Amino acid sequence: MTIDGGQRAAALAAEPLRPAGAQPGFFRGTVQSLRDIAAHRELLGLLVRRELKARYKDSVLGFFWTLARPLAMLLVYYVAIGKFLGAERVPGRETGIPDFAIFVFTGLTAWQLFSEIISTGTSSIVGNAGLIKKVYLPREVFPLSAVGAALVNFTVQLGILVAATAVLGRFPTGSRWLLLPLALAVLVVYSTALAVLLSAINVYLRDVQYLVEILIMILFWASPIVYSWGLVESHLSPMLAQLYLANPMTQVVLAFQRVFWVSGTDEPTPPDLAGTLGVTLVISIVLLWLAQRVFARLQSNFAQEL
């Protein structure tokens, strides 16, 4: 060993040891985890880009399919279900939902973001097993990369929704837009909390990812996406209606409809929806914090379990 090499080795040995895992403690550990994630923000960006590229790998049209899928979905709901099956309310008929295609596509835009974050986030740790077993880095970046990729796809679908409202002459204006940031914050924070928690549990119980698929399907029909809140209110008692409204995704979908479904302005909606979303946002932030601390406790054995 050279003198220079010996000096470097001595200097390295003099450095204080730093634990590679998450720091204990609810408050101190949270701060340290946030610092670790911030220090690896470039890696997080790379993982998001990798997630998007892998989705359309070897595809000739590539990112075009992100546009094609929601466009096809909007067309199907507008023609097949709205027109042919009579789900859309037309002059002279009291039944149906006005601008049915916009109504459904609005709910689906919010739901697609939620379901994509949950499904891809749940399998994110297991799907990156090779990288996790080789090097230490904050494991939270993997479910967070799923959130980032889902937000890119959501932005495309939201742009199509806004364009569709303009084409049909139903472009939303005024104070209704104020609900969108609040609803989007609830959606992102709540789904991220679930993704972080489920991604850690899925390492130990691989059945979780299959259970999530079933639960997402059930929750889809438990949210007012293909039927209106007015139908729910008319068929449920006040107590059951409040229980139904306790679902954060129900609140988010109703808020999205309030913003973009201009034809449904006069349709019944829950009172003080903004206040309810505000309370849900606070609860979701606490849930995200708790989910991260559970994740931090479970991540120490990720490499061995994988």
Side-chain angles (χ1 to χ4, degrees):
M1 178 182 293
T2 65
I3 296 178
D4 186 48
Q7 290 175 342
R8 286 200 301 268
L12 182 62
E15 290 289 330
L17 294 176
R18 180 183 181 277
Q23 295 294 317
F26 263 70
F27 296 101
R28 186 177 62 179
T30 300
V31 172
Q32 185 59 53
S33 295
L34 291 174
R35 287 175 178 171
D36 285 346
I37 294 171
H40 290 80
R41 57 186 178 274
E42 291 184 7
L43 173 63
L44 178 58
L46 290 173
L47 288 173
V48 171
R49 288 193 287 272
R50 187 196 67 173
E51 191 83 24
L52 293 170
K53 290 179 180 178
R55 187 167 304 178
Y56 304 109
K57 185 180 179 181
D58 299 327
S59 171
V60 176
L61 297 178
F63 199 71
F64 168 78
W65 295 114
T66 304
L67 289 168
R69 188 172 181 272
L71 278 173
M73 189 164 50
L74 177 60
L75 186 62
V76 167
Y77 279 107
Y78 179 74
V79 177
I81 301 180
K83 300 298 183 181
F84 294 166
L85 296 182
E88 182 172 3
R89 184 186 301 173
V90 295
R93 188 172 63 191
E94 296 182 359
T95 59
I97 296 174
D99 282 340
F100 179 78
I102 297 296
F103 167 80
V104 173
F105 195 71
T106 298
L108 287 175
T109 298
W111 184 261
Q112 288 289 345
L113 176 59
F114 173 76
S115 62
E116 186 175 350
I117 289 176
I118 299 298
S119 58
T120 57
T122 298
S123 58
S124 60
I125 300 296
V126 175
N128 289 279
L131 185 57
I132 289 173
K133 289 186 289 187
K134 289 179 181 178
V135 63
Y136 172 75
L137 46 84
R139 271 65 168 179
E140 292 92 339
V141 297
F142 297 109
L144 289 179
S145 68
V147 175
L151 282 171
V152 173
N153 294 328
F154 166 79
T155 302
V156 174
Q157 189 161 336
L158 185 66
I160 293 174
L161 173 60
V162 172
T165 60
V167 169
L168 295 176
R170 301 287 192 275
F171 186 79
T173 57
S175 60
R176 63 195 312 135
W177 282 97
L178 297 177
L179 266 181
L180 182 60
L182 183 58
L184 187 57
V186 171
L187 171 54
V188 173
V189 174
Y190 175 65
S191 56
T192 301
L194 293 180
V196 168
L197 179 63
L198 293 171
S199 66
I201 298 175
N202 188 52
V203 174
Y204 299 90
L205 299 172
R206 302 297 171 86
D207 291 337
V208 168
Q209 58 189 351
Y210 304 109
L211 179 62
V212 164
E213 294 177 3
I214 297 174
L215 290 177
I216 286 178
M217 179 185 64
I218 294 173
L219 286 174
F220 174 83
W221 291 102
S223 302
I225 298 174
V226 295
Y227 55 84
S228 66
W229 164 254
L231 289 175
V232 175
E233 198 175 31
S234 63
H235 286 81
L236 296 181
S237 65
M239 182 179 297
L240 289 177
Q242 288 301 315
L243 182 62
Y244 178 89
L245 192 60
N247 175 13
M249 280 310 298
T250 296
Q251 302 169 23
V252 169
V253 169
L254 288 172
F256 267 65
Q257 290 170 353
R258 194 68 181 168
V259 175
F260 296 105
W261 186 38
V262 176
S263 297
T265 300
D266 296 329
E267 297 292 318
T269 55
D272 195 20
L273 183 57
T276 304
L277 282 168
V279 173
T280 304
L281 178 58
V282 174
I283 295 173
S284 298
I285 292 172
V286 174
L287 179 61
L288 178 59
W289 176 43
L290 295 175
Q292 193 281 324
R293 298 321 300 155
V294 172
F295 184 99
R297 289 295 185 94
L298 295 177
Q299 72 168 336
S300 57
N301 291 324
F302 279 179
Q304 292 89 326
E305 292 293 331
L306 294 170

